[in-house]
Amino acid sequence: MTKSVKVLLVSVLLLFIGSVIAVIIIVRKPKGTYVEIVQNNEIIYSFDLSEEKNRTFRIAGQQGGWNEVRIEDGKISITDADCPDHTCVKAGVLRSENIPIVCLPHKLVIRFADKEQK
Amino acid sequence: MKTKKIARLSLLTAIALIIFIIELRIPDLLPIPGAKLGLANIITVYAVYKYNARETILLVITRVILGSLFGGNVSAIMYSMAGAMFCLICMLLIRRIIPLNFIWLSSVIGAILHNTGQILMAILLMRSFAVLSFYPFLIITGTIAGAFTGLCAQYIIKRHIPDKTVEK
C-alpha cells in the first residue's frame, strides 16, 4: 500500500462519511407547505399545499411532453409522465425541503419554497 | 491501429452494450436520477488497465453514444457523456499510482467523478442549483456501486485472460 493509495483511500472515506452526514441533514421533514413548480428555471405555479383542493392536472413541456401532477390531502406528487425514465413518478410524494421532485427531460422541478419569496 | 486491436475493442464495446441493455431491464432501486449500478463500467475499468488512453476513450465514447441510442433516451446523452468523460480522465490519470489490488478504489473514484460530471451537466442545462441536493446521495450510491463494479473488474484483470487464445 503506497502513500498515494492511502491518501486516495482516506479522501474517499472522508467524502463518503461527509455525504452520509449531508444526507441525514437533507432528509428532514418540511416546515412549510408552500410549494412552487418551476419549469426551465421559471416559476409557473406556486401555492400553499394545505389550502389546495384535491386535483390532478397536466403540465405541458416546452418541447412537447407532459407531466401529470396530483395534489391529494396536502401532498403533491407526479403521477404520470411521457418521459422514458419516469424518475419523477418514482420519486413519489414531495417530502423534504431539500429534495425536489425533478424531471430532467422536461426541465421540471417541484419544490418547497419560503412564503416570503412571494 | 491493427485490425486485431479494432476487433478486440469492438468486442469489448459489444459486451459493455449488452451489459448496459440488460441493466436497463433491472428496475431502479432508488428514486434518485443518476443512481444506478453501472455494470457496464466493469468493461470501462478493464479497458483502462488493459489498453492505452486513446483506445479506452474511443471505446467509452462509442459505448455512450450507442448505449443512449439503444436505451431509447437520447436526451440523456449529455449527462452520460459528461459523467463518462470525467470518470475516464480521472481513472486514466490515477492508473499509474494504483496497484493491481486497489483497482476497486480507482473505480470508486471514477464512479464519484461520474456523478460529479452528471451533476455539473445538470446544473449547466437546467441553470439551477436545485439538483445539487442529490449530490450526497449520488456519492453514497456511487461509492457502493463503484466498489462493486471495481471488484468485478479487478478479478477479471487479475485472472489475466491470455491474448493467444483470442488470436488463434
Side-chain angles (χ1 to χ4, degrees):
Chain A
M1 205 164 168
T2 54
K3 202 183 169 191
S4 48
V5 172
K6 267 182 193 165
V7 171
L8 285 174
L9 196 65
V10 168
S11 44
V12 166
L13 214 67
L14 284 177
L15 200 62
F16 187 76
I17 294 166
S19 315
V20 171
I21 294 166
V23 163
I24 292 167
I25 293 168
I26 287 172
V27 184
R28 279 181 312 181
K29 292 225 164 176
K31 290 177 220 99
T33 51
Y34 193 71
V35 165
E36 59 187 21
I37 300 178
V38 183
Q39 189 177 52
N40 248 344
N41 225 18
E42 281 169 33
I43 299 172
I44 53 169
Y45 293 107
S46 56
F47 40 76
D48 196 333
L49 269 186
S50 55
E51 290 162 15
E52 284 294 311
K53 281 176 281 181
N54 291 356
R55 61 193 168 109
T56 308
F57 57 98
R58 276 191 181 186
I59 298 169
Q62 283 178 335
Q63 291 126 19
W66 46 266
N67 296 71
E68 201 172 84
V69 179
R70 177 182 288 167
I71 301 169
E72 200 174 14
D73 305 327
K75 285 169 183 167
I76 188 163
S77 58
I78 295 179
T79 44
D80 202 4
D82 69 341
C83 57
D85 53 359
H86 276 73
T87 306
C88 51
V89 180
K90 283 173 200 147
V93 171
L94 182 65
R95 275 184 214 92
S96 165
E97 232 171 298
N98 298 304
I99 315 168
I101 301 177
V102 182
C103 177
L104 287 181
H106 299 153
K107 292 179 180 160
L108 191 79
V109 179
I110 300 177
R111 62 178 180 219
F112 284 108
D114 299 326
K115 213 162 195 171
E116 288 81 42
Q117 276 178 5
K118 205 176 184 182
Chain B
M1 215 188 300
K2 277 184 188 166
T3 322
K4 211 178 280 172
K5 202 151 235 177
I6 295 175
R8 213 171 289 161
L9 283 171
S10 13
L11 189 66
L12 276 180
T13 315
I15 297 171
L17 278 169
I18 292 166
I19 299 174
F20 179 79
I21 288 163
I22 292 172
E23 204 199 327
L24 281 179
R25 297 277 155 240
I26 304 173
D28 291 345
L29 298 171
L30 296 162
I32 305 166
K36 54 183 272 185
L37 260 171
L39 290 174
N41 289 320
I42 296 172
I43 303 297
T44 314
V45 179
Y46 177 80
V48 163
Y49 282 85
K50 286 284 181 182
Y51 295 92
N52 66 36
R54 207 171 72 96
E55 290 155 357
T56 315
I57 289 172
L58 268 174
L59 187 148
V60 169
I61 289 177
T62 320
R63 182 185 70 73
V64 169
I65 293 173
L66 287 179
S68 53
L69 284 176
F70 290 164
N73 196 357
V74 188
S75 60
I77 195 170
M78 300 278 270
Y79 301 104
S80 326
M81 198 57 102
M85 284 301 114
F86 256 71
C87 158
L88 194 59
I89 288 161
C90 177
M91 288 215 300
L92 288 170
L93 284 176
I94 60 172
R95 169 168 69 171
R96 283 186 193 172
I97 57 168
I98 298 255
L100 218 55
N101 278 326
F102 284 91
I103 289 171
W104 60 272
L105 184 63
S106 155
S107 171
V108 167
I109 293 164
I112 291 172
L113 270 135
H114 192 116
N115 289 331
T116 312
Q118 284 176 319
I119 287 280
L120 287 177
M121 202 45 157
I123 290 172
L124 265 175
L125 285 181
M126 298 177 79
R127 290 188 206 90
S128 152
F129 288 96
V131 280
L132 211 59
S133 59
F134 287 121
Y135 194 39
F137 292 90
L138 284 178
I139 289 179
I140 293 174
T141 56
T143 310
I144 297 164
F148 178 71
T149 53
L151 265 180
C152 291
Q154 187 175 319
Y155 285 127
I156 299 170
I157 293 163
K158 281 179 88 178
R159 190 141 304 175
H160 188 72
I161 302 153
D163 285 346
K164 273 180 185 159
T165 54
V166 183
E167 280 166 25
K168 261 176 192 172

